[in-house]
Amino acid sequence: MNMRFFKTIVYLILILGILYGVLRILASVGKPATTFSLTQASVITKIQALSRLETASFTIEKIIEGGVQGNVFQNILYGDKILLIAHADVVAGFDLSKLKVDDVVVSGKDLRIELSAPEILYSRLDNEQTKVYDRKLGLLTKGNSTLESQARASAEQSIRKAACDGGILKTAAVNGQKQFETMFASAGFNAIVVTIPEGICE
C-alpha cells in the first residue's frame, strides 16, 4: 500500500511539472509583444489628437484705473472714476491642428518635428478675485453703466501684454520641447529633434 501511494505521489508531481512547463510555453507564445507604430502618419495623428497643448500658465494681478476726468470743478460735478484690481490667468502653448504632413519626418527610430510658434491660447479674468476697489461719481452724474465692463476688458488686454513682456511664449516653447521629447522617447524613438520658431504676441 505504501509503495502504491508513493508511486501515485510521484506521478502527480510529474504531471504537475509537465502541466507547468506547457503553461509556461503557451504563455510565452500567446503573450503579444509591445510594439510602437513609428510611421509618419501615426505620429501626426497622435500629435493632432492633443488638439491644444498648454505648456505655460502665468497668473497676473494688475490695478486698472480709468473713467471720465477733467479739472477739479468738472470732477466734482461730472467725474466718473473707477479703480479695478484685476486677477487673471494667461495660458500659452501650441495649436496642434496647424501641424502639416511636411512638419513631421520619421526615419526609422529618428523623429524630426517642426511645430508652429507658441501662442497665447487664452486669458481669463478670475471673477472672484477681480474686484472694483473704488468708484467715485460726481454730484450730477449717475455714472457710465458700462465703465466696469470697459475696465475689465482693458485689464485683460493689459494682463496679456504683461504676460508677453514676462516671456510666457519663451517659457511655453521650452516646456513644449521637453514634453514632446519625453512623449516620443517613451513611444520608442531614439533621436528626437523638435524645432519651434519664436512666438510673437499679438
Side-chain angles (χ1 to χ4, degrees):
M1 181 69 76
N2 289 337
M3 183 61 69
R4 181 181 287 179
F5 178 76
F6 177 75
K7 287 181 178 180
T8 302
I9 295 298
V10 171
Y11 288 148
L12 286 174
I13 292 173
L14 288 173
I15 291 170
L16 289 174
I18 292 171
L19 286 174
Y20 177 75
V22 170
L23 289 174
R24 286 288 300 271
I25 293 171
L26 290 175
S28 62
V29 172
K31 185 178 180 180
T34 300
T35 60
F36 294 97
S37 178
L38 304 181
T39 66
Q40 182 184 32
S42 65
V43 171
I44 293 174
T45 301
K46 183 170 184 177
I47 295 175
Q48 289 180 333
L50 297 173
S51 184
R52 284 187 165 190
L53 181 66
E54 299 176 3
T55 58
S57 177
F58 282 16
T59 299
I60 298 174
E61 188 173 86
K62 293 207 72 173
I63 297 176
I64 303 297
E65 186 177 7
V68 177
Q69 296 187 66
N71 57 40
V72 176
F73 181 72
Q74 289 173 324
N75 288 341
I76 292 174
L77 296 179
Y78 306 107
D80 186 3
K81 186 177 179 181
I82 192 172
L83 188 65
L84 182 79
I85 299 178
H87 190 96
D89 295 321
V90 183
V91 175
F94 301 88
D95 183 355
L96 300 176
S97 65
K98 296 179 180 179
L99 192 71
K100 302 185 296 295
V101 174
D102 295 341
D103 296 332
V104 178
V105 178
V106 177
S107 178
K109 290 194 175 183
D110 296 343
L111 174 67
R112 294 178 63 88
I113 303 174
E114 184 172 349
L115 296 175
S116 60
E119 58 189 271
I120 291 180
L121 299 177
Y122 63 88
S123 58
R124 180 172 54 218
L125 287 179
D126 185 331
N127 291 322
E128 291 186 0
Q129 298 190 57
T130 298
K131 298 179 180 179
V132 175
Y133 181 75
D134 191 24
R135 182 79 182 264
K136 292 180 180 178
L137 295 174
L139 298 175
L140 302 179
T141 181
K142 295 181 179 180
N144 183 350
S145 61
T146 65
L147 185 59
E148 183 178 343
S149 298
Q150 294 174 18
R152 285 175 174 268
S154 177
E156 187 170 346
Q157 184 177 3
S158 177
I159 284 171
R160 286 172 69 99
K161 184 179 184 305
C164 287
D165 294 342
I168 190 171
L169 295 186
K170 289 183 179 179
T171 301
V174 171
N175 293 344
Q177 186 167 23
K178 290 179 181 177
Q179 288 187 32
F180 271 98
E181 289 173 351
T182 300
M183 178 174 65
F184 285 106
S186 66
F189 287 97
N190 294 331
I192 304 162
V193 178
V194 181
T195 303
I196 301 174
E198 183 178 356
I200 300 175
C201 282
E202 297 180 355

